[in-house]
Amino acid sequence: MVEEFNLLVCGVGGQGVLTLSRIIALSALKSNFKVRVGETLGMSQRGGIVNSFVRFGKNVLSPLFEKGMADAVIALDYVEAARSLQYASKRTVFLVDSNTIPPLSTILGLESLPDLDHVKRFFKENAVKAYFFNAFSIASSLSLPTSNTVMLGVFGRLFQKIFDRNVLISALREIVPAKYVEKNIEAFQLGWRLMDDNVAF
Amino acid sequence: MNTILGHAGEKVLLMGNEAIARGALEGGVHVVTGYPGTPSSEVIMALSRISEKVGVKVEWFANEKVAFEVALAASNAGLRSMVTMKAPGLNVASDSIFSAAYCGVNGGMIILVADDPGPHTTQTEQDSRFYSILTGLPMLDPSSPQEAKDAVVWGLEISERLKLPVFLRTTTRVNHTTADIVLGDVKRLERKPIFPRDLPRYVRASMKWNYERHRWLDERMKTAEKISDNCPLNSLLLKGDFGIITSGVSYLYVVEVLKRLNVGDCSILKIGICNPLPKKLINSFLSHCKHILFVEELTPFLEFSIRAFSTLNENSPKFYGKLNGYLPFEGELNPSIVKDAVSRFLFSKPPHRESNDLEKFKVPSRPPPMCPGCPHRSAYYALLTAIRRLGYKREDVPIFGDIGCYALSLQKPLEAIWTEHCMGASISMALGLKFAGYDKPVVATIGDSTFFHAGLPALADAVHLKENIVVVILDNRITAMTGHQPHPGVEFKADGSKAVEVDIVDVVKGLGVEKVKVVDPYDIVSCIKVFEEALTNRNGVFVIIARRECALLARRMGIKLHSVHINYDKCVKCRSCISTFGCPAILWNDEKGPVIIPSLCNGCGSCSYICPFNAIEVEKNG
């Protein structure tokens, strides 16, 4: 039984952070863990930063965890992955969608947008384990915004010792609106396979 | 099935606000009212989806004062009620709550007020616990969603027993935490509303009666003191002579931090009711501990009260808290801050913390922008253009803002509003500047929901005094910022059923405004003309209603008015579409120039007006 697992799901309003974190939280409940999710919701639908602290295990109480304490980070935006480094340590695993919605300040040229290679290099130089996936383009092939469930598949495969695959799928069925369920399960399977290749490699 | 309708004993995943909604059902509530405000809104949103099924009256009202009084009348008439609001909403409702403390209630009543330490989404870090002292009413302070649910049930019971409204004060980390919750029994109380005629109780016109009711209230609170020690939200753990007094979500941080520091002998008193304070528990803690640290968010309410209270005892422990620099007054607490304070308290030094190189990566800021296609962006663009065309400098014409999405116009590139103060203040402050003798135009911009909430009285005054102010009502047909709740100006209720639309045009004309124009903000050319007319008007108040539904809502309904694309034969890469308008759906590509991202674009077509070379082309969608 997991004592305490600290997961940060992060991204930008509209990318599906809260849906993804709810699916994982419900999976944790179905696996008989205690669950706490601390959400920053205020501006979530408006292209602002969304952080969802998902904590589960035998003994979790508070909705937040300390800086440096993340076991894993799922980032639906690579710029937000970089922002979340404050919650990470060298033992944190990052699962990152290698796309970004550029912040307005970078479109206006007021601040510079770090490019993907730059972010990847930083992770490498600091010996932080990070997997990058083009979840957005996979989702586009399904013609439904499902990057979040692609990343759920990635997460599920990596942590298959914690969550039964069927538990994740049944939680997905409960959270995602019925008419989108099948495509989201497809996305989940694609994500699972993506990670399969990585783990095998 | 909807999770909040689960069976008793079932363990389900609920957000704090959904848990509070469930608590209302378990407490046998009949009427739930409120005005939207983060982080409180989801209580009514959750209940309105099931209100018909469970037979509970659930509705949004024009402001928190109205919402409170609607719920109060129900409680006076013997029904159980709950009213929900964010912290600033309590200030609006407070006038009425003071008087309600004198008349009391018959059916149990909960006043939910959600504070926002941080702050995450609120104009001030108001600590509403002080309202419990000011009004003289009981207040519960839960630390988790489960406790918040249970507090509603217990609170309704003691409210009915004491005949007083009971505050349920939460913070963002309770309202917006999702957790596993064990459900209790749903209660149905069959009651018919009957308003008792009792003049000394309900009429505040006699000073003798008011004095007597004040004494009545204080008597009730003496009874409440006897209940306070038994509040299920309190917990007392007596161990070593170092102890921590805490409340709310801070309690959870304390317990986890002590575990992480491997401290097993620290005493803990968690206080779940901040008025009246549980005096027996506090006294046993004070006599047990020699050193006490207070860990609480915002103003040191418990620290003030218990430091003062301890002076009644002969021996007092040594106290540590905000007053001697152990914790910050501002912002929300988190496990890291609490760990520092607890380490200093127990070991006289902060914990060892390795410097984290990972924090050094420079990341661009990401304040939330106005959405792609937001009608407010187009309206402000037209307003700023009109000001410029009339030969005014930007600093000549103050634009008073108000509470809502349109406050996001403060960001570059528009940088439109000059103020965002509180609900409704845009019109009164614009009026105030004119009244003081300002000789150039002044503009107030206010949303539709905010206008109904607190804009009407100031507009009546502006008409009455015939001051030349321009009032722009940004009517996006919904209360957008808080997640799309209805208001009196739309044709549906909280549960989606049909309501009577109060047309803002009629309201404004009814208040005596002679110059009223309705414009479509997406039609920027016409907008600029109307704004120019308004800014040159010298004959009293000029109201412009910029009416176009919220782009986010339109998108959800599958409405995309136009297909928008860039004709690169005409585009000279001047960048003005980006630098003057700032729509997040238009990105810059060093080779191509501006690029419209179809998945982000909501098809408003406004950018076609912006381009000086007509390179942005729009096609109307069928």
Side-chain angles (χ1 to χ4, degrees), chain A residues 35 37 46 61 80 101 111, chain B residues 178 180 256 364-366 480 556:
Chain A
V35 191
V37 185
R46 289 178 178 78
L61 289 174
E80 295 314 306
I101 295 178
E111 290 183 271
Chain B
T178 298
D180 47 290
E256 286 202 355
S365 61
R366 193 191 287 276
R556 261 181 227 156

Side-chain angles (χ1 to χ4, degrees), chain B residues 210-461:
Chain B
N210 295 354
Y211 172 77
E212 281 164 5
R213 292 308 292 185
H214 187 187
R215 293 192 54 165
W216 172 85
L217 170 61
D218 289 350
E219 281 301 316
R220 299 316 298 159
M221 284 305 277
K222 280 197 187 115
T223 311
E225 278 183 24
K226 291 177 196 147
I227 302 171
S228 174
D229 278 296
N230 301 324
C231 172
L233 273 53
N234 298 327
S235 79
L236 176 69
L237 177 72
L238 292 178
K239 284 193 166 178
D241 59 8
F242 276 71
I244 296 175
I245 296 181
T246 181
S247 69
V249 71
S250 311
Y251 165 71
L252 305 176
Y253 302 150
V254 166
V255 173
E256 286 202 355
V257 159
L258 288 174
K259 195 175 157 208
R260 188 122 28 238
L261 293 170
N262 278 319
V263 176
D265 60 351
C266 185
S267 300
I268 305 174
L269 172 61
K270 183 191 47 150
I271 296 180
I273 175 163
C274 58
N275 194 36
L277 285 169
K279 287 189 178 154
K280 275 189 204 148
L281 287 181
I282 291 170
N283 260 331
S284 65
F285 204 73
L286 294 184
S287 56
H288 181 85
C289 298
K290 293 201 172 70
H291 300 272
I292 290 175
L293 172 72
F294 294 96
V295 181
E296 60 187 315
E297 289 183 312
L298 302 179
T299 317
F301 178 92
L302 296 175
E303 187 175 350
F304 284 146
S305 314
I306 293 172
R307 276 176 188 265
F309 180 62
S310 77
T311 61
L312 300 173
N313 299 344
E314 270 182 24
N315 295 312
S316 172
K318 194 159 168 20
F319 292 116
Y320 309 79
K322 297 196 177 193
L323 297 181
N324 43 7
Y326 276 72
L327 286 148
F329 283 75
E330 306 84 11
E332 72 170 344
L333 298 184
N334 60 43
S336 308
I337 295 173
V338 171
K339 194 179 184 182
D340 285 359
V342 169
S343 299
R344 263 185 74 196
F345 171 59
L346 294 176
F347 316 127
S348 308
K349 61 175 187 200
H352 174 66
R353 199 163 269 140
E354 280 171 34
S355 70
N356 190 352
D357 285 342
L358 299 180
E359 291 187 24
K360 288 182 185 151
F361 193 90
K362 178 115 180 54
V363 188
S365 61
R366 193 191 287 276
M370 286 193 281
C371 302
C374 177
H376 303 328
R377 178 186 293 102
S378 304
Y380 278 115
Y381 179 88
L383 173 62
L384 293 170
T385 307
I387 290 170
R388 197 180 62 240
R389 282 205 194 160
L390 291 172
Y392 291 111
K393 293 198 211 83
R394 279 291 289 274
E395 55 270 31
D396 290 337
V397 185
I399 302 173
F400 291 94
D402 224 301
I403 308 260
C405 298
Y406 38 98
L408 301 174
S409 73
L410 74 106
Q411 291 167 39
K412 286 180 193 305
L414 290 175
E415 297 178 291
I417 57 160
W418 293 32
T419 64
E420 191 220 29
H421 187 75
C422 72
M423 293 294 281
S426 58
I427 301 178
S428 6
M429 288 177 76
L431 169 62
L433 186 60
K434 268 292 177 196
F435 186 70
Y438 191 71
D439 60 359
K440 295 193 184 92
V442 297
V443 182
T445 58
I446 183 169
D448 41 350
S449 188
T450 309
F451 179 68
F452 280 110
H453 181 288
L456 296 166
L459 186 60
D461 273 330

Side-chain angles (χ1 to χ4, degrees), chain A residues 3-4 6 11-12 21-22 25-27 29 32-43 45-49 53 55 59-69 77 79-80 82-90 92 94 100-115 118-119 122 126 128 136 174-175, chain B residues 11-15 18 38 42 120-121 144-145 172-173 176-181 249 251-253 255-257 259-260 332-336 339 353 356-371 377 405 408 411-413 480-484 550 552 556 575 578-580 582-588 599-600:
Chain A
E3 189 71 30
E4 174 184 329
N6 293 319
V12 176
S21 78
R22 274 259 168 152
L26 185 57
S27 306
L29 180 81
N32 292 316
F33 297 128
K34 286 181 81 172
V35 191
R36 297 290 180 271
V37 185
E39 292 165 341
T40 348
L41 286 172
M43 309 282 179
Q45 54 186 350
R46 289 178 178 78
I49 298 162
F53 295 82
R55 310 187 67 217
N59 251 325
V60 293
L61 289 174
S62 109
L64 296 177
F65 54 81
E66 268 186 80
K67 286 189 172 182
M69 292 297 291
D77 187 299
V79 173
E80 295 314 306
R83 199 187 308 279
S84 300
L85 280 162
Q86 55 181 313
Y87 295 103
S89 70
K90 301 211 186 274
T92 310
F94 276 75
T100 186
I101 295 178
L104 192 56
S105 61
T106 66
I107 303 173
L108 293 170
L110 304 167
E111 290 183 271
S112 64
L113 182 73
D115 66 36
H118 183 191
V119 172
F122 186 85
N126 286 283
V128 179
F136 182 78
E174 279 183 46
I175 304 274
Chain B
K11 193 187 263 188
V12 297
L13 195 67
L14 291 180
M15 185 205 278
E18 295 168 327
T38 314
E42 293 87 354
H120 295 275
T121 52
S144 67
T172 305
R173 293 292 171 202
H176 281 174
T177 287
T178 298
D180 47 290
I181 306 279
V249 71
Y251 165 71
L252 305 176
Y253 302 150
V255 173
E256 286 202 355
V257 159
K259 195 175 157 208
R260 188 122 28 238
E332 72 170 344
L333 298 184
N334 60 43
S336 308
K339 194 179 184 182
R353 199 163 269 140
N356 190 352
D357 285 342
L358 299 180
E359 291 187 24
K360 288 182 185 151
F361 193 90
K362 178 115 180 54
V363 188
S365 61
R366 193 191 287 276
M370 286 193 281
C371 302
R377 178 186 293 102
C405 298
L408 301 174
Q411 291 167 39
K412 286 180 193 305
M481 191 80 164
T482 45
H484 300 118
C550 168
L552 216 56
R556 261 181 227 156
R575 222 185 162 113
I578 286 174
S579 63
T580 64
C583 173
I586 311 177
L587 306 188
W588 184 258
S599 63
L600 295 175

